[in-house]
Every structure is written in C-alpha cells, then in structure tokens.
Amino acid sequence: MQHFDAIVIGAGFAGLRALHELRELGLSTQVFEAGSDVGGTWYWNRYPGARTDSESWVYAYSFSKELQDEWSWSERFPPQPEALAYLRHVAERFDMRRDIAFDTKVESAAWDESAQRWTVRDDRGGLWTCRYLVTAVGVLSTPYVPPWPGIEKFKGEWYVTGRWPKERVSFAGKRVVVIGTGATAIQAIPIIAQTARHLMVLQRTPNYVLPARNGPLTDEERDAIRRDYDAIWAQAREHFFGFAMDPAGRTIADVTPEEHQRILERGWETGGFRFIFETFDDIFIDDRSNEVAAEFIRNKIRTIVKDPATAELLCPKDYPLTAKRPPLGHFYYETFNRPNVALVDVKDDPITELTERGVRTATREFEADLIVFATGFDAVTGTLTKMDVRGRGGVTIADKWRDGPRTHLGIMVDGFPNLFMVLGPQSPFANIPVVIDGMVDWIGRAIQHLRANRLTTLEPKPEAVEAWRKHVDRLVNATVLSKGRSWFLGDNIPGKPHVTLFHFGGAGVYRRECLAEAENGFASFFTS
Ligand code: FAD
Ligand code: NA7
C-alpha cells in the first residue's frame, strides 16, 4: 500500500490547481481521475455548442504570470475544445501528468483512526494511504437523467449532454428530441437545429436567457487583457460573482422608468451577465427591480419570437430572474423562428416513459431518431455522496448529509479530519476559477499551519459547522434566489433535500471569511 502526503480526487480546474499548491508545499501528491484526460467539465461536456458562460479572461488560473502571458483566448466565451486545450496546456506546462492516474475512479476513502490517515481505494484494485485527502470532484460532474422507464426499448440513438461521446454525432436528416431547457440545452439547441430534419424541444420550465454576444477577441483586446491582468483579477476577486466587472452603482429606484429601459437595453446589447451586473445592483435582492428586468426580457422574447404562442411559452412568469441560473444564449430565441423547430410544454403533460419510437408524455408520443437528455446534474453533493467516504466512526458523508450538507467554509466537515473539499457544498456561487483559487490557497495555509505546529489533524468544530449553515441560509434568504426551484437549492432532483448548496454572500466576502479563519489561528477547528 503506497503512501502519499496528499491525494487529490479529480483532474479538472480544481484538481490541477490543488496539485500545483500541494507541490509548492513540497508534499508528495497523487491525483486520481476517472476520465482519460485532464479537463473535468471540459473533458466530459462535448455536446454541440458547449462553451463557457464566464468571459475567457477570467475563466483561467491566476497563479502564474508566465501562464497568463503565454495563453491567448480566441473568443469572449471560449468553446469546449478551447477550454479543454487550456487545461491540457496547464497540465503540460507544469509537468502535472506524471502525478495523475487517469481512467482511475476512487471508490472509497476511509479515515483510519489509529494511523491518523486516509485509506483510499480505486476501481482498479489500488489501495493507497494519505495524510490529506483533497476532493476536487466538481459541482456539476454527475449527470442526472430522470428514471423514466423504457430507454432499452428505444430504437434510435440517445445521448446525455454531460457524457457526450468523443466521436462526432450527426443530426443531419434526423428527427431530434431535446429534453430540457437549462443552460446546456440552450447552448445545444441552436446548433442541433442547423442540421436536424426536425427538432422538438420539450420544455418544463422556461429560462430567462440572456444574449451572450460572443465574438472573437482582437489582438488589441488580447494585448489589453494581458497588460491589465493584475487589475482584472483584483476586480474579479472583489466582484460578488467573481467577474471582472464593477457594480452598476445604482438601483432601479434611482432612475426614471424611461432610464430603466435605456440602461437595460444597453446591458442587453453588451451581452452576457453584464445585463444583470452592470445595470442595477438590486436585481437579485429586490422584487420590484427584479420584475422590471424580468419584464424587459419577456418583452424581448415577444419581439424576437414570431409565433406569439411559442413566445408566451418561452416567457418565464412564475419565478424571479436569477432564481434559476440564467443561461447565455447564442441566438436561442431566434432558433424558434425556424420552420424545423417546435417547442412543447411538458409542465402539465409530463414525460412518463421512453418507447420504441421516442418519448411519451401523459397524453402524447413524440417520435424521434435521436434523443438528447439535457436534464442536468446531481449538483454539488451528488458526486461526493456517491463515493463511499467515511469519517470518524465509519460514518459516511452520505449519511452525515442526509438532510443536507454540513460544512465549515464549504471546505471541511466535522468528523472528517483532514478532508479538504475544493468547491464543497456551501462554498460561493461565482465564477469558479476565482473561487477555486481562494479555496485552494486556504487549504494550503491550513496544511502549512499543521506542519508548522507539528500537528497531524484539522477538523471543524460542530458549532462552526452549524453557524456556517445558518450563515449560508441567511445569505440566500436576503436575495430573490430562494423564490425559485433550482439545482442550487437541490430542487432539480425529486427527494433531494431543499437546502441552499452555495454561499451567496459574494466571492470577495467569502475570501475574507476564509482568511479571517486562518489569521485567527484556525480557532473554529480542533487540531491534534
Ligand atoms: P470538474 O471539472 O467537474 O472536474 C471534476 C473531475 O473529478 C472530473 O474530471 C471527474 O471525472 C473527476 N471525478 C469525480 N469523481 C471522481 C472519482 N470518484 N474518482 C476519480 N475522479 C473523479 N463555471 C464557471 O465558473 N463558468 C462557466 O462558464 C461554466 N460553464 C460551465 C459549462 C458546463 C457545460 C458545465 C457542466 C459547467 C460549467 N461551469 C462553469 C462549472 C464548471 O464545472 C467549473 O467551472 C469547473 O470546470 C469545475 O472544475 P472542477 O475541477 O471543480 O470540477
Ligand atoms: P439544468 O439547468 O438543471 O437543466 C436541466 C433541464 O432539464 C431543465 O430544463 C429541467 O426542467 C429539465 N428537466 C429535468 N428533469 C425533467 C423532467 N423530469 N421532465 C422534464 N424536464 C426535466 O442543467 P443544465 O445541464 O442545463 O445546466 C446546469 C449547469 O451546467 C448550468 O447552470 C451551467 O453552469 C452548466 P426544470 O427547470 O427542472 O423544470
């Protein structure tokens, strides 16, 4: 049984960042990755149209000036192959592959009380031990497909977006059914529509889709980004959602209704999340402001989509803007003006089964040659609870979190010493590279603290975990976010507890909360 100072599970954005940090501390580190390459999200999500919704210049690492200087993004919102190429470049640039075991899934990890170590078992028969276990398993890494009966009867092709094959999938001449209208489907639908004979979109809940306004970056823009990287990162670290944007500096109440429309129009044309963050600062905390922005979007849908019945179906009406994560569209609404595309509302006529010919709802059957399941993920907790992770006394993390996750800082769990989660539940909902950077930095500090003080274990006190739960609840309740049904509240999966899975207090605030813990000598933690 080989021993490492640290084992990292996952070789996506978080796992690579963690490996870099642990190496800098001089720790022997082994990474296990279920996929055949680095990339995580960008390795698995190869569906047509997949690309980031974060602007490229902040969807990157900030730990190396040289890396920043040598990498050039081609577009404002890079496509999946480019995001994957970036992570491959990082792995090679920092000679990371030698410490990563690919095609190796960690099945279990158990805290060994007597040895004060973790024992880790993989699916190839490997058994390992480590002092520090770092999970970097992703918040959107376990796809969810509702358990409809009948898939084995279906005679056509079918694909799950989060497990898209490496081989090219052709839609040409086919009758395609897409199930779902979340961020993933909204990226895929316009591309599939270009070649499918017919595309049927089965929608349960419409989304507020913001236009991405994607485009290539010019050489001048790229030079400017490189020149300004320090300022860009300083801005992103402070921004509530980790983007390089300044607050709008105004609320809806500050200006006239005519001004509302002018400002929102400018935000709409600028594209991306700037529609929300550079228009009015109270969109996601004030119902009235939210409704002004929401109605603006509904009116845009009614203007873009020519068939009035389809337009009304596409208009979200029973939850506020941002109460579901707003997707970015690349001519999404325009796609419904194509003669080969149809939208069907399955809210009151739910899908019941898959048949030999296609998809059946309570009252209808939709024939298909190809079905795309864009039905989301068992988000945030799913990947961790499906692994057999056992802390003190053999308690599994799935049991510990039966009524919802319990963590301190979204990084550590009481009863699970030296288990460090990058992007654990109750960590910030924000542009993820910014969050990962702060979390991994904190993990590095915690391990340094242990080593400098000749300590072996770190584990949060139960009262700190309870206080963090109350804190994240308070934060979400101060926003409009709790007024919808969303995967970030566990609502997308029947039976999953309805609890907030994220910290909605802002990326900058969170970073300071973490730093305060470190500077306070880790007072909320037991050490031994
Ligand atoms: P992942 O990239 O999910 O990597 C986790 C890795 O862990 C996977 O490779 C998985 O195979 C591996 N793993 C899991 N369990 C095990 C196990 N038991 N054993 C071994 N390996 C295991 N975020 C943004 O901030 N901006 C965006 O624009 C954005 N766009 C997105 C678009 C899509 C389509 C999706 C699905 C997500 C998007 N996200 C975005 C969120 C995205 O997941 C993160 O930005 C980021 O990629 C997460 O990195 P990660 O390393 O934490 O997790
Ligand atoms: P989402 O946003 O969870 O979207 C899943 C979609 O699938 C959504 O439209 C769901 O409708 C739909 N869905 C799920 N279950 C059903 C059933 N039973 N019947 C009909 N429709 C269903 O996942 P995505 O992959 O699109 O996006 C997740 C994140 O990945 C995204 O925010 C980005 O960060 C990347 P619902 O809304 O639940 O009614």
Side-chain angles (χ1 to χ4, degrees):
M1 196 158 36
Q2 195 176 346
H3 179 76
F4 297 98
D5 294 327
I7 284 180
V8 177
I9 312 176
F13 231 109
L16 298 186
R17 177 67 183 82
L19 175 59
H20 177 76
E21 186 80 14
L22 297 166
R23 276 182 177 177
E24 293 280 294
L25 295 179
L27 303 184
S28 63
T29 304
Q30 176 66 46
V31 182
F32 293 107
E33 168 53 58
S36 307
D37 200 351
V38 299
T41 286
W42 306 105
Y43 170 83
W44 296 106
N45 287 265
R46 300 158 186 271
Y47 61 83
R51 59 175 70 245
T52 73
D53 284 347
S54 294
E55 287 167 332
S56 51
W57 48 96
V58 285
Y59 198 74
Y61 291 111
S62 55
F63 66 78
S64 159
K65 193 93 191 119
E66 295 73 32
L67 176 63
Q68 286 177 341
D69 286 343
E70 71 203 13
W71 185 261
S72 281
W73 293 106
S74 67
E75 294 177 56
R76 179 176 175 189
F77 300 107
Q80 171 268 329
E82 192 170 340
L84 179 59
Y86 173 73
L87 292 169
R88 282 182 172 151
H89 171 74
V90 170
E92 262 125 52
R93 169 86 173 63
F94 297 95
D95 189 19
M96 290 177 167
R97 289 181 187 277
R98 67 183 156 89
D99 290 330
I100 308 175
F102 293 105
D103 299 306
T104 309
K105 187 168 185 178
V106 171
E107 289 192 326
S108 68
W111 177 250
D112 179 341
E113 197 70 58
S114 55
Q116 300 279 286
R117 290 172 169 186
W118 284 93
T119 305
V120 173
R121 186 186 298 273
D122 69 41
D123 64 350
R124 298 161 70 113
L127 202 57
W128 321 86
T129 59
C130 63
R131 177 75 71 209
Y132 313 111
L133 179 63
V134 179
T135 62
V137 294
V139 284
L140 296 162
S141 50
T142 296
Y144 168 71
V145 177
W148 292 303
I151 190 65
E152 69 290 346
K153 291 187 215 147
F154 179 57
K155 291 269 190 287
E157 302 161 65
W158 59 273
Y159 303 97
V160 176
T161 50
R163 287 291 177 273
W164 202 262
K166 288 179 185 160
E167 302 71 39
R168 195 174 151 269
V169 173
S170 168
F171 304 98
K174 295 178 187 162
R175 295 163 306 167
V176 180
V177 168
V178 171
I179 306 178
T181 50
T184 292
I186 278 155
Q187 290 183 335
I189 284 165
I191 309 290
I192 297 173
Q194 286 169 15
T195 53
R197 172 147 64 92
H198 190 265
L199 169 60
M200 182 79 74
V201 177
L202 304 189
Q203 168 187 280
R204 186 166 67 178
T205 314
N207 258 303
Y208 293 97
V209 182
L210 308 174
R213 311 277 180 228
N214 188 33
L217 295 174
T218 62
D219 287 343
E220 291 73 39
E221 284 168 326
R222 280 199 284 260
D223 288 345
I225 290 166
R226 265 201 207 97
R227 256 195 329 271
D228 290 346
Y229 249 129
D230 290 347
I232 285 172
W233 279 100
Q235 201 180 21
R237 284 197 188 101
E238 276 310 309
H239 186 266
F240 199 95
F241 285 99
F243 294 121
M245 300 175 195
D246 282 327
R250 68 172 99 76
T251 66
I252 285 273
D254 293 337
V255 296
T256 63
E258 295 71 40
E259 283 285 281
H260 296 159
Q261 297 308 303
R262 199 182 55 74
I263 291 165
L264 289 169
E265 188 64 43
R266 200 167 56 215
W268 186 261
E269 287 311 315
T270 308
F273 296 125
R274 289 177 191 266
F275 174 80
I276 297 172
F277 302 129
E278 292 188 343
T279 52
F280 298 102
D281 290 332
D282 53 350
I283 285 178
F284 72 108
I285 50 172
D286 183 85
D287 289 337
R288 203 176 72 87
S289 298
N290 192 284
E291 180 50 27
V292 171
E295 186 59 11
F296 178 92
I297 298 175
R298 287 182 211 116
N299 286 332
K300 283 289 180 193
I301 299 170
R302 292 172 182 130
T303 310
I304 298 168
V305 179
K306 298 207 175 88
D307 173 49
T310 305
E312 284 314 306
L313 268 187
L314 287 166
C315 285
K317 289 177 186 148
D318 56 3
Y319 68 93
L321 169 63
T322 68
K324 277 178 179 287
R325 172 357 191 125
L328 299 193
H330 301 258
F331 305 99
Y332 176 69
Y333 291 125
E334 290 81 351
T335 300
F336 291 93
N337 292 332
R338 296 177 67 108
N340 66 332
V341 178
L343 180 70
V344 174
D345 180 8
V346 294
K347 188 171 187 347
D348 300 320
D349 183 19
I351 299 168
T352 54
E353 64 175 320
L354 301 156
T355 66
E356 200 176 301
R357 289 193 298 269
V359 182
R360 184 171 285 153
T361 66
T363 66
R364 300 170 70 180
E365 185 172 16
F366 300 100
E367 290 191 15
D369 303 310
L370 190 157
I371 301 173
V372 175
F373 295 93
T375 42
F377 296 87
D378 187 350
V380 187
T381 50
T383 310
L384 281 165
T385 54
K386 279 180 185 61
M387 237 190 302
D388 184 5
V389 182
R390 289 169 191 264
R392 286 191 202 281
V395 175
T396 65
I397 212 152
D399 271 340
K400 178 97 185 166
W401 290 354
R402 195 153 295 284
D403 299 324
R406 301 177 64 80
T407 78
H408 186 42
L409 306 175
I411 303 178
M412 298 198 81
V413 186
D414 54 319
F416 291 72
N418 292 6
L419 171 69
F420 297 94
M421 301 174 295
V422 192
L423 297 179
Q426 306 174 327
S427 61
F429 191 86
N431 177 40
I432 276 182
V434 171
V435 181
I436 286 174
D437 193 58
M439 296 185 88
V440 173
D441 179 71
W442 188 91
I443 293 168
R445 281 169 194 258
I447 293 175
Q448 269 177 304
H449 172 79
L450 292 179
R451 289 160 70 89
N453 293 287
R454 298 186 180 284
L455 296 164
T456 312
T457 67
L458 186 78
E459 175 188 346
K461 296 177 180 167
E463 57 269 30
V465 169
E466 180 56 15
W468 191 254
R469 185 189 65 75
K470 288 191 176 137
H471 179 51
V472 295
D473 278 352
R474 249 192 324 270
L475 292 172
V476 79
N477 288 331
T479 71
V480 300
L481 302 180
S482 55
K483 295 176 183 153
R485 295 183 57 73
S486 159
W487 56 263
F488 50 68
L489 296 173
D491 295 327
N492 65 322
I493 298 193
K496 192 165 170 170
H498 170 88
V499 289
T500 177
L501 296 173
F502 286 95
H503 169 287
F504 286 100
V509 167
Y510 171 81
R511 205 180 179 101
R512 280 189 289 282
E513 288 167 347
C514 287
L515 278 179
E517 280 288 358
E519 277 157 19
N520 204 15
F522 298 88
S524 305
F525 294 80
F526 295 123
T527 50
S528 67

